[in-house]
Amino acid sequence: MGVTGSPTNIKQGSKTKGGIGESTLRPDGTLKVTGEFAYSSDMWHEDMLWGFTLRSTTAHAEIKSIDISEALATSGVYSVLTYDDLPTEVKNYGLEIQDTPVLAHGKVRHHGEPVALVAADHPETARRAAAKIKIEYVELPVITDEASATGPDALLIHEGRDDHHIGHVPHPNIVHRQPIFRGDADEAAKRADVIVTGDYYFGMQDQAFLGPESGLAVPTEDGGVDLYVATQWLHSDLRQIAPVLGLPEEKVRMTLSGVGGAFGGREDLSMQIHACLLALRTGKPVKIVYNRFESFFGHVHRHPAKLHYEHGATKDGKLTHMKCRIVLDGGAYASASPAVVGNASSLAVGPYVIEDVDIEALALYTNNPPCGAMRGFGAVQACFAYEAQMDKLAAKLDMDPVEFRQLNAMEQGTLLPTGQACDSPAPVAELLRLVKSRPLPPEQQWLSAGEDADVRALPGGLSNTTHGEGVVRGVGYAVGLKNVGFSEGFDDYSTARVRMEIINGEPVATVHTAMAEVGQGGVTVHAQIVRTELGVNQVTIHPADTQVGSAGSTSASRQTYMTGGAVKNTAEAVREKVLEIGRAKLGTYHPAWATAELLLEGGKVVTDGGEVLADLVDVLEDEAVDLELEWRHRPTVAFDLVTGQGDGHVQYSFAAHRAVVEVDTELGLVKVIELAVAQDVGKALNPLSVVGQIQGGTTQGLGVAVMEEIIVDPKTAKVRNPSFTDYLIPTILDTPTIPVDVLELADEHAPYGLRGIGEAPTLSSTPAVLAAIRNATGLELNRTPIRPEHLTAT
Amino acid sequence: MRVNFTVNGRPQEADDVWEGESLLYVLRERMGLPGSKNACEQGECGSCTVRLDGVPVCSCLVAAGQAEGREIVTVEGLADYSKHRDGAHPGTGCSSSGCGTSLDAAKRWQSKPTDGRSGEAGDLSPIQQAFIDAGAVQCGFCTPGLLVAADELLEQNDSPSDADIREALSGNLCRCTGYEKILDAVRLAAARQEETV
Ligand code: FES
Ligand code: FES
C-alpha cells in the first residue's frame, strides 16, 4: 500500500491538469477532423430503407382526398403512410401545446406541412414514389398578419382550442399574450422632455445549422424501436414520440447521434416520429435525411416581429418611461411561442433602469411557417428595437449614444419590469466602456500605398463593383439583456451519473448524461468539472442517451449551468463517498482523515493544506463509486397574467457590441469591418470555447442584420427562398474580425459563478450593425435585414 | 452503371450506381466514407469538398460517372495525402470497410479521455491538428470541407495573407464559429509549416 503512515512522510499533492478555467481541447476533436465522427446523417444499417416526407404545396387548404395507390405500387417501395395509418388516438405532438399533427389530417395549415411518408430501398425511389401521391386540396384564404388573424371574420387556424392559454387570450388566433405594467407610464411620460416613438420590423431568421435533420430508427425484437438522432433534448423528444407510437417510453430508446449545430431549430421534433413509424411498419431500419430545401420546412424559425416602442427622457438624459407592443408571428403551430412571448415581454425594456413601463407582447397563429426557438429567444427582436430607440433619444438630446446608455444602465439590484431584482453583477456600463475604448480599425483599409484598391476589402468584395468612390464609414453600439435557463416556474432540472473506479491501475471517472452536445462544448466542460472535483486525469464521457435521467434542453444558454451543475453536484457526492471509503479503510493511519478538509487532486486524497493522505488506487481498489443525481436551480414563478409581475427568471447575461461598417452608398452594399464584443461570463470554465461561442453568436446577429431572411409571400404564405442559394448566411468574407473582451464577475447563485453565454452575443450584434449603418448613411432604417434598396432609396 | 475510381489511394468500384447519383452519395452511402458532409447538396456550402485529381470540388455537384478513372481524396485520406504531398503516391487511405461509421461503431463511440489528441499525434495532417488546437471545431459539420479546402490553400501558398485565406475559404459555410478561429487555425498551420521547413 502506498499509504503514508505517519505525518513525517506526508508529501505535497499536485494539482490535476485540465480542470475548469483551462482551455482544454474538445474530446471529440480528433474524430471531427478525421471525418470519423458519426453525425446523424452518417448512420448506416445493413438492409436499411430510406424514408421521405411528402409535404403540402399550399399553405392553407382542406384535404379532400389522398390517393397513395400508385406510390405504393412503385417497385422498391416498402410502405406509404398517411394520417389514417397512425396507430393510436394520439395524432398530434408539441413542446407545450399538442397542436402539431404528425401527418396532416383534415387540413394543412402551412406550406411544407408533412402529409405522407414513403419508405423505399433508395432515397430517389422514395422521392419519386412520393411524387406519385395524389392529394386533392380545397384552398382556404390565408391568414398572414395581425389584421387577418384577429379581424372580425377571421377563420380560426385551430378550431376548438383547449390549451391553457385560451382562457386569457383576446382571440383564438393568438397563442399567448403577456402584458406587463409597472409604475404608471402615462404619468411618468409627463416628466419627459423628449419622447421618441418607432415602429420596427424584425425579419424571419433561420437557424441554418449545417447538419440536416436526420436519423435512423431501428425496430427491435421487443416491438420497440431504437432511435439515433440529432436533437437538443432527448427526453423531451421521447415524451412526445412514445404516445404517438403507442409504446411505453422504455420501448423507445434514444441515443444522441452527432449533431451538426442546432441554435433552437432542433427543439421541436422533425423526422423522429416519421422514421419510427416507417421502421415499425416495415420491420426494417429506416433512415431519413432532409435535403436543404426540406430542412427549411422541417424546423421552426425565429419569430418575425412587429414592434412599436415609445420612450421618454428628461433633458439631462434620464429615461422616464417606456411603452411597447410586440407582435410575434408564431405561424401555424404553437411550438415555443408562449415562452418566447414571456421572454419578449419581460426583457422588452433591456438593460436599463425604467421604473414606469407599459408592455404588451403576443404571438399570433397564422398560416406562415411555424416559429419557435432560436438563439436569443424573444429577447433578440426586442433588443433590436430598444437599442434603435436609445440612439434616437441620444440624438434628440444631443448626447453621446454610449454615455446616454451608461447613464441609464441597470446594475446589480435594479428591478426589472416584472418586479424581480437583479441579484448578481450587471456590468452594463462597463461592457459598453470596454467596446468603446478599443482603438478603431484604420480607415479605408482597401487602399495600400501606391497600389490599386484591394477590392476584397470593399463592400461587394471580389465582384469588383467599386474602387471605393461612394464608400462611407459608420460606427454603432448596442447592449442587450438575456435570461439564462427556462423561466416562469418551469421545473428545470438536469441529471448526471458519475462513476469512479480504478482501471489498469489508474483512477478513471465516467460521466453519463443525456445532454445534447450540439457543438457548444459541453463534453469538454464536463470532463473539466470532473477533473476539478475528483482530481483524476482520465475522464470518459459516455454517449448521451435515454438510459440516464433527463438533462433538459441544450438551449436557453442553460446547459453548462444546469448539466454542468449536475455533473459538479454528482461529482461532489462521489467525492464524499470516496472519502468515506477512505476513512473507513485508512482513517486510522493519520488524524487528518478525521479533522481536515479533504480534496481529491492528482489521483490522491489530500488535505486542504496540500498534504497527501492516500492514493485513490489504494482507497478504491476494486470498488466503484457510481451515483446518479438530479440537480435544480432556484425556483422561479410564472408572470402574473394581468400585471406581468413575478420572479420569473433564474439568471441574466449581458453583452455589448461596437460595429464598424463601410457602406457603398451608390450600390447599397455593406461591409462590416469589425464587430467588437464584450461579455460578462461569470466564470470562463473553458476560455477558448467561451470566445468561440461569443464569436459564433455575434456572427448570427450580423447575418440577420444584413442578409438573412426567410421570405414568405404575403398573398400565398408560401416560402420563396428555401435554399442556401437564396437564404444567405455569412461567409468568411462577410464576417469581420471579432475582438472579444471577457469579464468574469461571479454570480454567487450559479455553479462556479458561471453565467450562460450562448445567446447574449446574438442580441446586441444586430442593432450595433444597424446603428453603424445609420451612422454611416443618416438613414432611419427600421427593419432587418437591410437590403441594398433600403440604402439607395430605390 | 459501374464506376471505377481511386479513393484515398485505393482503387474502388461501385456497382448499380444510378445515373443521377452524386459523387458525394457514392462516397457516403456506397463506399462507407461519410466524412464528406451533406449540408446543402446544392454546391453552396462546401461541406462536401473533396479533391478530384487534386482540384477541390463540391462532390455533391459531381455526377458519380464523372469520377470514372479519376483520383479522389476525402477528409478520411487527408492526413496521408498531406504526408505524401510531394511523393508520387498520394495516400493509401481507408479501405471501404476500414473507414466510415457503422451503427455499431457509432454506438460504441465514446469521447476519449484526453484532450482531443487521442489519435496518435502523427496521424493528423498539420491543418487537422491546427483546427483542433485553435478551437476551430464546434459542431464540426463544416470541418471536413474546410480542411480539404484549407489544405489545398496551404499546398499552393505556404504563407497566405488573411485576405488570401478568406478568399480561399469563401465557398465553405460555417454556422457555429464566426470564422475567427478558422482563420487562426489556417494561420497556425501555415506558421508551423514554416517552422518545419
Ligand atoms: S453539400 Fe455540397 S456544397 Fe453543400
Ligand atoms: S458549422 Fe458547426 S463548426 Fe462549422
Side-chain angles (χ1 to χ4, degrees):
Chain A
M1 252 193 209
V3 182
T4 47
S6 74
T8 49
N9 48 8
I10 281 178
K11 305 170 277 182
Q12 286 301 113
S14 63
K15 278 251 177 271
T16 318
K17 286 229 174 61
I20 62 159
E22 292 179 38
S23 287
T24 61
L25 302 178
R26 299 189 66 94
D28 53 9
T30 302
L31 291 170
K32 284 180 172 175
V33 299
T34 52
E36 284 168 68
F37 184 80
Y39 292 90
S40 55
S41 56
D42 301 337
M43 295 288 147
W44 183 88
H45 199 290
E46 237 180 352
D47 207 23
M48 73 182 186
L49 301 176
W50 290 79
F52 184 75
T53 316
L54 180 72
R55 293 171 181 275
S56 73
T57 50
T58 178
H60 202 196
E62 272 172 37
I63 299 176
K64 280 287 272 231
S65 64
I66 306 179
D67 177 2
I68 61 167
S69 51
E70 223 181 297
L72 205 49
T74 308
S75 127
V77 168
Y78 282 71
S79 178
V80 181
L81 303 180
T82 68
Y83 165 77
D84 288 331
D85 300 299
L86 295 178
T88 75
E89 281 315 299
V90 186
K91 299 181 194 295
N92 288 355
Y93 65 90
L95 285 175
E96 240 192 279
I97 300 176
Q98 283 69 54
D99 63 0
T100 312
V102 174
L103 291 168
H105 43 98
K107 61 178 177 175
V108 293
R109 296 182 179 84
H110 70 91
H111 181 207
E113 183 162 346
V115 182
L117 304 170
V118 180
D121 56 8
H122 191 284
E124 191 57 31
T125 311
R127 237 170 267 144
R128 288 182 190 180
K132 295 181 191 163
I133 298 173
K134 295 190 192 75
I135 305 174
E136 227 184 307
Y137 291 114
V138 181
E139 298 281 344
L140 297 166
V142 289
I143 290 168
T144 55
D145 56 11
E146 189 177 15
S148 56
T150 60
D153 313 316
L155 281 180
L156 299 188
I157 304 274
H158 295 274
E159 310 262 0
R161 269 182 74 183
D162 62 356
D163 59 84
H164 63 283
H165 296 290
I166 189 72
H168 70 259
V169 290
H171 190 285
N173 281 342
I174 294 174
V175 186
H176 175 50
R177 172 180 174 274
Q178 180 67 62
I180 300 181
F181 298 106
R182 186 159 183 83
D184 186 337
D186 287 325
E187 198 47 44
K190 293 179 189 157
R191 288 188 281 115
D193 296 309
V194 294
I195 288 184
V196 299
T197 60
D199 286 288
Y200 304 92
Y201 178 77
F202 198 100
M204 185 186 291
Q205 192 182 12
D206 191 73
Q207 297 84 354
F209 42 73
L210 284 205
E213 288 91 339
S214 44
L216 175 68
V218 185
T220 55
E221 277 175 9
D222 64 354
V225 61
D226 287 346
L227 180 62
Y228 301 84
V229 73
T231 178
Q232 289 177 244
W233 185 359
L234 289 166
H235 287 81
S236 160
D237 286 10
L238 178 62
R239 180 175 53 77
Q240 297 172 79
I241 296 168
V244 178
L245 302 179
L247 291 172
E249 289 189 0
E250 316 79 76
K251 286 205 174 178
V252 181
R253 283 155 300 249
M254 296 187 59
T255 304
L256 187 77
S257 49
V259 186
F263 317 115
R266 299 189 207 263
E267 263 193 27
D268 297 74
L269 297 179
S270 56
M271 46 58 66
Q272 284 90 329
I273 298 177
H274 297 163
C276 292
L277 285 169
L278 289 171
L280 289 168
R281 176 62 76 101
T282 59
K284 282 170 172 284
V286 174
K287 170 166 163 169
I288 295 184
V289 180
Y290 288 179
N291 59 29
R292 185 53 52 181
F293 174 82
E294 205 179 353
S295 177
F296 276 99
F297 294 104
H299 61 256
V300 300
H301 315 291
R302 188 192 299 293
H303 289 75
K306 286 191 169 139
L307 311 98
H308 177 79
Y309 265 78
E310 174 187 311
H311 280 88
T314 59
K315 58 180 176 311
D316 51 355
K318 275 286 185 188
L319 288 165
T320 53
H321 72 288
M322 184 276 267
K323 297 183 189 182
C324 76
R325 187 162 190 277
I326 301 174
V327 180
L328 302 153
D329 187 342
Y333 297 107
S335 180
S337 282
V340 171
V341 166
N343 263 18
S345 56
S346 61
L347 303 171
V349 74
Y352 301 109
V353 181
I354 311 181
E355 272 149 31
D356 299 277
V357 298
D358 175 349
I359 297 165
E360 179 189 18
L362 57 86
L364 300 168
Y365 273 128
T366 66
N367 295 116
N368 290 324
C371 289
M374 182 175 171
R375 198 175 201 168
F377 203 82
V380 161
Q381 296 91 330
C383 184
F384 170 65
Y386 63 67
E387 285 301 86
Q389 289 281 100
M390 291 303 116
D391 285 336
K392 268 194 191 177
L393 276 172
K396 221 164 172 180
L397 291 163
D398 204 18
M399 288 181 74
D400 175 84
V402 170
E403 278 165 35
F404 176 72
R405 285 175 171 85
Q406 287 170 323
L407 189 61
N408 291 287
M410 70 179 279
E411 339 178 292
Q412 181 156 6
T414 296
L415 291 191
L416 287 142
T418 53
Q420 181 170 16
C422 176
D423 61 0
S424 61
V428 178
E430 174 63 6
L431 293 170
L432 284 161
R433 191 192 66 73
L434 280 171
V435 286
K436 192 181 178 185
S437 61
R438 281 189 171 275
L440 283 163
E443 304 256 354
Q444 303 195 325
Q445 292 186 80
W446 64 87
L447 288 181
S448 44
E451 285 175 37
D452 282 347
D454 183 348
V455 292
R456 297 181 296 191
L458 280 162
L462 286 166
S463 350
N464 198 14
T465 42
T466 170
H467 288 238
E469 299 81 7
V471 175
V472 288
R473 172 181 277 207
V475 179
Y477 294 88
V479 59
L481 165 69
K482 176 72 184 57
N483 61 323
V484 171
F486 285 1
S487 301
E488 296 192 64
F490 189 87
D491 180 23
D492 197 7
Y493 70 93
S494 183
T495 316
R497 182 166 179 181
V498 176
R499 178 182 173 89
M500 178 137 103
E501 65 202 308
I502 308 299
I503 299 176
N504 297 332
E506 257 205 89
V508 176
T510 306
V511 186
H512 188 183
T513 75
M515 176 199 70
E517 168 62 49
V518 303
Q520 85 279 17
V523 289
T524 324
V525 159
H526 289 177
Q528 292 179 268
I529 292 172
V530 167
R531 285 193 204 106
T532 300
E533 300 304 331
L534 295 181
V536 298
N537 287 313
Q538 300 284 328
V539 182
T540 302
I541 308 292
H542 193 281
D545 58 30
T546 50
Q547 309 298 312
V548 61
S550 176
S553 184
T554 301
S555 56
S557 308
R558 68 179 279 291
Q559 215 38 303
T560 302
Y561 191 126
M562 292 305 298
T563 303
V567 169
K568 174 176 189 277
N569 187 49
T570 310
E572 284 167 348
V574 167
R575 184 175 66 215
E576 284 318 307
K577 203 80 197 272
V578 169
L579 292 175
E580 238 171 71
I581 295 171
R583 260 181 221 112
K585 269 193 202 161
L586 311 165
T588 53
Y589 283 94
H590 192 280
W593 275 105
T595 55
E597 276 292 309
L598 299 183
L599 309 168
L600 305 185
E601 263 177 25
K604 300 180 192 322
V605 180
V606 300
T607 67
D608 54 355
E611 296 169 329
V612 176
L613 293 188
D615 272 327
L616 285 174
V617 175
D618 303 315
V619 173
L620 283 174
E621 295 176 299
D622 48 12
E623 240 175 298
V625 176
D626 194 330
L627 293 175
E628 177 177 331
L629 296 175
E630 275 176 14
W631 188 80
R632 284 174 164 74
H633 58 65
R634 53 187 173 158
T636 59
V637 300
F639 301 129
D640 183 277
L641 285 171
V642 177
T643 64
Q645 299 300 292
D647 288 358
H649 294 311
V650 182
Q651 186 192 54
Y652 301 98
S653 76
F654 307 88
H657 279 91
R658 180 188 71 193
V660 181
V661 305
E662 278 167 355
V663 182
D664 189 314
T665 51
E666 292 167 356
L667 300 165
L669 299 175
V670 177
K671 181 159 181 85
V672 182
I673 300 297
E674 189 196 81
L675 200 37
V677 51
Q679 184 167 342
D680 175 20
V681 305
K683 164 80 185 164
L685 298 199
N686 185 310
L688 186 69
S689 324
V690 162
V691 170
Q693 282 291 303
I694 295 173
Q695 288 168 333
T698 295
T699 305
Q700 290 190 335
L702 157 73
V704 78
V706 297
M707 61 182 76
E708 292 185 39
E709 184 177 12
I710 292 190
I711 298 165
V712 183
D713 187 318
K715 290 205 190 73
T716 61
K718 286 195 196 180
V719 179
R720 282 182 173 161
N721 57 341
S723 72
F724 276 172
T725 314
D726 297 311
Y727 183 89
L728 304 178
I729 68 172
T731 70
I732 197 168
L733 285 173
D734 303 308
T735 308
T737 50
I738 305 173
V740 178
D741 277 309
V742 172
L743 281 187
E744 294 184 84
L745 305 179
D747 175 354
E748 59 172 285
H749 311 285
Y752 304 116
L754 69 81
R755 236 177 241 290
I757 49 172
E759 295 175 288
T762 311
L763 266 63
S764 43
S765 164
T766 312
V769 171
L770 262 288
I773 302 173
R774 287 186 201 108
N775 179 250
T777 61
L779 297 168
E780 181 142 13
L781 306 176
N782 57 0
R783 82 166 330 263
T784 69
I786 290 295
R787 300 207 199 94
E789 61 266 32
H790 304 136
L791 298 176
T792 56
T794 49
Chain B
M1 61 178 174
R2 166 176 295 186
V3 185
N4 296 289
F5 46 13
T6 306
V7 185
N8 298 330
R10 210 166 248 252
Q12 296 281 6
E13 196 180 276
D15 274 324
D16 302 324
V17 174
W18 282 40
E19 296 296 320
E21 271 176 27
S22 65
L23 175 58
L24 177 65
Y25 182 87
V26 170
L27 289 170
R28 289 175 53 79
E29 306 297 340
R30 295 186 184 277
M31 300 284 106
L33 293 170
S36 311
K37 292 296 165 229
N38 54 328
C40 73
E41 296 174 78
Q42 291 170 319
E44 297 288 348
C45 74
S47 310
C48 62
T49 306
V50 302
R51 305 214 23 193
L52 183 62
D53 288 344
V55 181
V57 294
C58 292
S59 61
C60 67
L61 291 186
V62 176
Q66 285 176 280
E68 177 64 39
R70 302 172 75 176
E71 298 244 359
I72 289 130
V73 177
T74 72
V75 70
E76 286 97 338
L78 194 63
D80 268 333
Y81 184 80
S82 82
K83 219 177 279 169
H84 295 91
R85 191 177 308 287
D86 306 318
H89 312 288
T92 48
C94 303
S95 68
S96 58
S97 56
C99 262
T101 310
S102 72
L103 185 62
D104 271 355
K107 270 193 203 166
R108 284 196 310 271
W109 180 79
Q110 303 216 332
S111 68
K112 306 270 170 48
T114 46
D115 302 337
R117 293 170 200 266
S118 46
E120 286 146 56
D123 288 353
L124 299 181
S125 69
I127 190 68
Q128 286 172 317
Q129 191 62 54
F131 263 62
I132 297 177
D133 293 342
V137 180
Q138 289 188 15
C139 86
F141 208 80
C142 64
T143 306
L146 275 163
L147 288 171
V148 174
D151 185 66
E152 198 255 356
L153 166 69
L154 292 174
E155 186 180 298
Q156 305 295 332
N157 179 350
D158 49 21
S159 55
S161 68
D162 284 2
D164 295 334
I165 301 172
R166 288 183 189 277
E167 192 178 333
L169 302 184
S170 61
N172 292 77
L173 296 175
C174 171
R175 188 54 156 172
C176 301
T177 63
Y179 301 108
E180 195 86 334
K181 301 220 169 289
I182 292 170
L183 276 160
D184 287 345
V186 181
R187 291 183 198 120
L188 180 64
R192 285 177 179 167
Q193 203 161 289
E194 237 157 66
E195 268 167 35
T196 54
V197 250

